[in-house]
Amino acid sequence: MSDSASVREDSVLECDDCISPAEAFGIVADETRLTILEALWESPDRPVPFSELRRRVGVDDSARFNYHLGKLRGQFVRKTDEGYDFRHAGEKVVRAVLAGTFNEDPVLPAFSAPGSCVGCGGSLEADYGDEKLTISCADCARVHAREEFPPGGLEGRSSEALLSAFDQRVRHLHCLAADGVCPECGGTTGTSLSREADPFDLDVVVTHRCAQCAYEAVSPVGLVLLDESTVLGFLSSRGNDVCGTPFWRFPWVVGDDALTVVSEEPWRIRVRIEADDEALVVELDGGLSVVDSAVEPVETVA
């Protein structure tokens, strides 16, 4: 990375007292220090007094323990009058360990997923590998969902519970990103539409990208509408459980048939959502804001 690209002049990350990322990772790259963080995490009450924390960690040498605790203090741990507690960075390290991000790489063979393929009507299946959960058609292999999912999220969950957690996680992350907040670093995300190739085999896809950490989330256009009040009201009033139905089971979310590109300069997208004998037609701009909506009857074929 060049010097000009490393930190913007007006960046909140620019400061004289900050330690470098390499130094920060070096501090926690020690078994005793990780054990201290884990002991803090497992403590029923915080702050934890020095002697109690040392007992929990199991280090007899007080000077040695104080040395390692001192390395964590300031960036990962804070000292109070009552003892020691986390700073945000310390909690993030422990959460990353518990999520299996650093030391787990499980693989799950394909198992049945609810719903049917929007392309061929075939059955759906899910599989897990490379820290991603994928839902695709068992017959034509069309991808309906693919998103990162922490390895720790597999622990203690049945296949049904795993798919439910995956559904809720995807909705939450993309909702945050669509609202301009990066799920990873809290930075600012931008939203763009494109016709570029994507894993979902769709005509148009949405990309949310963070300007700070380069986090990127790619999704179908319809996914953002699962949090849109107009859509929620229309479907709920007609007996559709939007929150309790996995997002990949809505054809207007993962399929192209309900989507019409009105224009590309500027972007205008129409999504048609049918329920019973009526349809809600929603028009979106390039930032995925609803600019128009209307309810119309569904034409029946005689």
Side-chain angles (χ1 to χ4, degrees), residues 3-222:
D3 291 340
S4 60
S6 58
V7 178
R8 301 188 307 274
E9 288 185 2
D10 60 345
S11 171
V12 296
L13 298 180
E14 185 179 22
C15 65
D16 296 330
D17 298 329
C18 296
I19 64 174
S20 69
E23 185 180 355
F25 279 109
I27 289 173
V28 294
D30 179 274
E31 185 174 357
T32 299
R33 295 168 200 168
L34 282 176
T35 305
I36 292 173
L37 294 176
E38 290 173 353
L40 270 178
W41 182 271
E42 294 170 356
S43 297
D45 298 303
R46 292 196 295 266
V48 183
F50 178 89
S51 58
E52 173 63 17
L53 186 58
R54 181 164 67 90
R55 186 189 67 78
R56 286 179 171 274
V57 174
V59 176
D60 295 329
D61 188 333
S62 178
R64 176 170 169 265
F65 177 76
N66 188 55
Y67 168 78
H68 288 292
L69 183 58
K71 289 292 185 180
L72 294 170
R73 195 164 51 238
Q75 189 69 22
F76 300 96
V77 170
R78 61 186 177 90
K79 183 179 180 181
T80 71
D81 292 339
E82 293 79 25
Y84 294 86
D85 203 348
F86 279 117
R87 294 196 66 187
H88 180 66
E91 289 186 318
K92 289 286 286 185
V93 169
V94 178
R95 286 195 175 102
V97 172
L98 294 175
T101 304
F102 296 146
N103 59 341
E104 296 181 24
D105 189 19
V107 175
L108 289 181
F111 57 93
S112 178
S116 56
C117 178
V118 295
C120 71
S123 58
L124 298 180
E125 61 182 16
D127 64 83
Y128 184 88
D130 294 329
E131 299 184 10
K132 289 184 175 66
L133 196 150
T134 301
I135 297 174
S136 57
C137 178
D139 297 330
C140 71
R142 176 170 181 156
V143 174
H144 289 55
R146 177 178 291 160
E147 190 75 36
E148 292 182 356
F149 193 83
L154 277 61
E155 184 68 28
R157 282 196 170 112
S158 64
S159 58
E160 181 180 358
L162 172 59
L163 290 176
S164 177
F166 174 72
D167 173 48
Q168 295 302 317
R169 177 180 168 82
V170 170
R171 291 174 184 241
H172 175 66
L173 294 181
H174 284 265
C175 179
L176 271 178
D179 286 341
V181 181
C182 176
E184 285 292 329
C185 73
T188 303
T189 56
T191 296
S192 62
L193 296 169
S194 71
R195 291 184 180 271
E196 297 178 2
D198 74 291
F200 306 110
D201 192 27
L202 294 172
D203 185 37
V204 179
V205 293
V206 179
T207 299
H208 306 293
R209 184 177 176 83
C210 176
Q212 180 167 289
C213 73
Y215 168 87
E216 188 172 274
V218 180
S219 71
V221 172

